[in-house]
Amino acid sequence: MTFRYFAYGSNLWVPQMRSRCPSARPIGTGVLDGWRLVYDKPSTDGSSKVNIRPGRSETTQGVIYELSDDDRPALDAAEPRYAPIAVSVGNEDVVTY
């Protein structure tokens, strides 16, 4: 089985996604309506990481990947301080972090 993942930030880079999740296959781009991109996720190195927050009239652009369910644990491990959420991008039901 597979699932679809909406990526933003550093996960837009296909080589990084494939190093984390070998089955990752970009299937298109999309716009996540009602969410804004922010730099509010503190990192262990003192920098900030990209995050999304609800924003009624705002959007976040990204890439939709199709991944094998077998790669889900690796994706969760790569996003340890993010919680997966179900969202809709266009008419696609996807997960994002």
Side-chain angles (χ1 to χ4, degrees):
M1 298 293 296
T2 63
F3 69 100
R4 293 195 171 177
Y5 164 63
F6 178 77
Y8 58 90
S10 66
N11 285 343
L12 295 172
W13 192 36
V14 176
Q16 175 175 285
M17 276 300 298
R18 287 202 175 130
S19 73
R20 294 174 171 180
C21 303
S23 70
R25 183 175 62 93
I27 59 170
T29 59
V31 176
L32 182 58
D33 291 322
W35 293 84
R36 63 188 169 97
L37 196 66
V38 296
Y39 292 87
D40 71 347
K41 196 74 154 182
S43 177
T44 57
D45 66 7
S47 66
S48 292
K49 302 299 181 195
V50 176
N51 197 10
I52 55 173
R53 296 279 180 207
R56 186 170 21 151
S57 62
E58 299 184 64
T59 60
T60 297
Q61 296 183 21
V63 171
I64 299 173
Y65 288 94
E66 187 166 73
L67 289 90
S68 165
D69 287 337
D70 293 340
D71 278 340
R72 186 85 179 245
L75 184 58
D76 289 343
E79 304 295 346
R81 297 174 347 117
Y82 290 83
I85 58 171
V87 295
S88 292
V89 176
N91 62 354
E92 296 281 340
D93 292 327
V94 299
V95 66
T96 194
Y97 290 71

